[in-house]
């Protein structure tokens, strides 16, 4: 069954069956998680998400929920970063000759978030993507420099959208026009969603730094390089409870010409620490030299310097009325896949009546 699912999970029916087995059958879930070749199942699921435009929204939801269920297991989150993949040809955003399964998973989920931002704008999909990344964040290890760039770029793009939304909101706030009032309400709602997503991305980065800093010099490098995109949130009330690792930067670090300015976010203290080590070199550094200093500093870093936050753990829970999602989905698959003739104009789908006897 496992082998068949690996070969056919690109189809809606197999993805739906896999979801049902993982969600309802604990023995099957344990068996899947114990497989030494779990990449045979995960890679085709990631391909479905990567090619989201070619699949139904229901199929995308099922694939994401499967990843979320698997990410609830700490062993899964660890082992995916130990499995190396070679030449994933369908990933066309950038040629990557070698990448861990965990790195590919992070890349595809981030891409799904960005796809949702521009196409679907579905909060439920955002929630599942971020929950899966959050579950994995404490086990991010040796993430590729490109993966680190995409993770920080996700925050950067969200921050730009946040700034644009604020500017649009300010432009409509003083208007008494009824249409503008409706637009203001929509902008406020969009802003709240953006801030929720931004906060979660910060928590994901913070979780990785708190748990696996020594194993992620590429992430530290990218954060130092992209520090400016965090500065607009320095005193934002939504993020104040997760910026308590902040340490005041000494004045000479701000004044010297090659200083790396430190931004305020959950692990600013980490960046202060690495900024000071780079500054102590007292010379212009090449990329290789910066990487070496970061790796050396990471090996001497003590995690006790940071305030500990609760582990990010999310668990998939089926909706109160799952039939509202699954019944139309199952019937749509029957309609599309059966060899029977269906006259589309005569198809009617009735909801379950709570008063009907069972």
């Amino acid at each position: 069954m496992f082998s068949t699912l690996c070969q056919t999970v690109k189809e809606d029916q197999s993805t739906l069956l896999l979801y049902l087995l993982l969600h309802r059958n604990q023995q099957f879930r344990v068996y899947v998680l114990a497989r030494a070749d779990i990449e045979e199942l995960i890679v085709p699921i990631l391909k479905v998400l990567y090619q989201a435009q070619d699949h139904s929204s229901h199929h995308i939801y099922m694939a994401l929920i499967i990843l979320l269920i698997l990410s609830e297991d700490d062993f899964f989150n660890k082992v995916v970063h130990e499995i190396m993949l070679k030449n994933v040809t369908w990933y066309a955003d950038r040629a990557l000759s070698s990448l861990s399964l965990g790195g590919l998973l992070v890349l595809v989920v981030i891409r799904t978030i960005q796809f949702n931002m521009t196409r679907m704008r579905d909060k439920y999909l955002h929630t599942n993507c971020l929950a899966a990344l959050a579950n994995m964040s404490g086990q991010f290890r040796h993430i590729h420099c490109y993966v680190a760039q995409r993770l920080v770029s996700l925050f950067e793009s969200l921050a730009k959208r946040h700034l644009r939304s604020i500017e649009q909101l300010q432009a409509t706030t003083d208007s008494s026009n009824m249409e503008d009032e409706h637009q203001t309400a929509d902008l406020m709602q969009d802003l709240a969603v953006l801030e929720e997503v931004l906060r979660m991305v910060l928590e994901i980065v913070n979780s990785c730094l708190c748990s696996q800093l020594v194993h992620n010099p590429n992430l530290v490098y990218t954060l130092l390089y992209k520090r400016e995109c965090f500065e607009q949130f320095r005193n934002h009330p939504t993020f104040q409870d997760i910026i308590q690792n902040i340490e005041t930067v000494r004045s000479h670090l701000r004044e010297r010409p090659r200083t790396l300015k430190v931004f305020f976010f959950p692990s600013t203290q980490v960046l202060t620490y690495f900024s000071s080590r780079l500054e102590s070199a007292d010379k212009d550094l090449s990329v290789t030299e910066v990487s070496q200093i970061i790796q050396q500093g990471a090996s001497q870093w003590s995690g006790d310097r940071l305030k500990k936050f609760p582990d990010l753990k999310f668990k998939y829970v089926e909706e109160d009325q799952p039939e509202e999602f699954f019944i139309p989905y199952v019937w749509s698959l029957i309609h599309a896949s059966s060899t029977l003739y269906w006259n589309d104009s005569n198809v009617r789908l009735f909801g379950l009546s709570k008063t009907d006897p069972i």
Side-chain angles (χ1 to χ4, degrees):
M1 178 181 287
F2 178 84
S3 298
T4 302
L5 286 171
C6 291
Q7 296 168 10
T8 62
V9 75
K10 62 181 180 293
E11 305 295 337
D12 285 77
Q13 298 92 321
S14 294
T15 305
L16 187 57
L17 176 60
L18 177 60
Y19 158 77
L20 183 65
L21 290 170
L22 289 173
H23 181 52
R24 299 291 180 88
N25 190 320
Q26 183 178 359
Q27 288 76 19
F28 182 79
R29 184 167 65 251
V30 170
Y31 170 78
V32 169
L33 290 168
R35 294 281 305 200
D37 58 348
I38 196 168
E39 70 275 11
E40 298 296 327
L41 180 65
I42 301 303
V43 171
I45 292 174
L46 295 178
K47 186 177 180 180
V48 169
L49 292 175
Y50 184 81
Q51 300 172 342
Q53 67 277 5
D54 299 329
H55 299 274
S56 69
S57 59
H58 291 77
H59 199 180
I60 300 304
Y61 288 141
M62 288 293 95
L64 278 173
I65 292 170
I66 287 169
L67 294 181
L68 176 56
I69 291 172
L70 294 174
S71 73
E72 294 170 13
D73 185 83
D74 287 337
F75 178 74
F76 171 83
N77 295 333
K78 179 181 178 181
V79 76
V80 291
H81 291 285
E82 298 172 357
I83 298 173
M84 299 304 297
L85 305 173
K86 299 289 185 181
N87 298 317
V88 182
T89 55
W90 51 261
Y91 187 85
D93 292 8
R94 175 169 170 172
L96 298 168
S97 59
S98 181
L99 183 69
S100 70
L101 176 61
L104 181 63
L105 199 160
V106 173
L107 285 177
V108 172
V109 172
I110 288 174
R111 192 177 189 273
T112 304
I113 293 173
Q114 294 172 324
F115 174 81
N116 184 50
M117 286 168 53
T118 57
R119 302 283 185 87
M120 301 169 68
R121 299 174 64 87
D122 188 319
K123 183 179 178 181
Y124 182 75
L125 190 144
H126 266 338
T127 301
N128 283 300
C129 287
L130 292 168
L133 288 179
N135 283 346
M136 297 177 61
S137 61
Q139 296 288 347
F140 285 173
R141 278 174 168 252
H142 309 296
I143 60 175
H144 193 278
C145 57
Y146 180 65
V147 178
Q149 290 167 17
R150 298 309 303 157
L151 181 58
V152 176
S153 292
L154 172 62
F155 183 89
E156 186 177 22
S157 63
L158 289 167
K160 290 178 180 178
R161 288 174 65 95
H162 183 270
L163 183 59
R164 287 197 301 269
S165 295
I166 290 177
E167 291 173 348
Q168 291 172 353
L169 187 61
Q170 290 172 341
T172 59
T173 297
D174 298 331
S175 175
S176 58
N177 185 291
M178 184 63 69
E179 184 177 342
D180 286 342
E181 288 181 6
H182 289 307
Q183 185 181 3
T184 298
D186 291 341
L187 285 171
M188 289 289 289
Q189 185 176 3
D190 289 346
L191 199 60
V193 172
L194 272 173
E195 288 180 357
E196 182 180 334
V197 176
L198 281 164
R199 176 187 171 88
M200 180 63 79
V201 175
L202 282 179
E203 289 181 342
I204 289 167
V205 173
N206 190 60
S207 172
C208 176
L209 293 179
C210 289
S211 303
Q212 302 291 341
L213 184 146
V214 68
H215 301 295
N216 288 294
N218 287 331
L219 179 58
V220 175
Y221 183 99
T222 306
L223 289 170
L224 288 167
Y225 185 74
K226 287 285 189 178
R227 60 198 177 274
E228 294 89 353
C229 68
F230 295 88
E231 294 210 1
Q232 71 186 81
F233 302 99
R234 178 176 298 177
N235 298 313
H236 198 292
T238 303
F239 311 114
Q240 284 183 347
D241 63 332
I242 57 171
I243 61 171
Q244 296 180 32
N245 286 337
I246 296 171
E247 179 181 72
T248 303
V249 185
R250 294 180 181 178
S251 59
H252 77 276
L253 289 178
R254 291 196 300 269
E255 294 167 357
R256 295 176 68 176
R258 288 185 298 276
T259 295
L260 290 170
K261 295 180 182 177
V262 178
F263 54 80
F264 285 55
F265 93 113
S267 295
T268 302
Q269 190 176 4
V270 173
L271 301 184
T272 305
Y273 168 79
F274 284 101
S275 294
S276 64
R277 294 185 72 92
L278 292 173
E279 183 64 27
S280 66
D282 200 28
K283 67 175 183 175
D284 291 325
L285 301 170
S286 66
V287 172
T288 301
E289 289 172 327
V290 170
S291 298
Q292 290 174 346
I293 291 173
I294 289 174
Q295 289 175 350
Q296 182 182 21
S299 66
Q300 298 172 1
W301 171 261
S302 172
D304 295 338
R305 300 185 183 198
L306 296 179
K307 177 180 177 179
K308 298 299 181 183
F309 290 86
D311 290 340
L312 292 178
K313 288 295 178 184
F314 294 87
K315 185 176 178 63
Y316 170 71
V317 178
E318 211 166 58
E319 296 290 332
D320 292 337
Q321 295 180 312
E323 64 276 4
E324 294 182 359
F325 173 85
F326 286 104
I327 289 177
Y329 184 29
V330 171
W331 274 110
S332 70
L333 294 180
I334 294 172
H335 176 269
S337 304
S338 71
T339 57
L340 299 175
Y341 169 74
W342 300 83
N343 187 334
D344 291 354
S345 63
N346 293 328
V347 171
R348 298 289 184 273
L349 186 63
F350 298 96
L352 293 176
S353 173
K354 295 181 180 179
T355 58
D356 289 343
I358 297 177

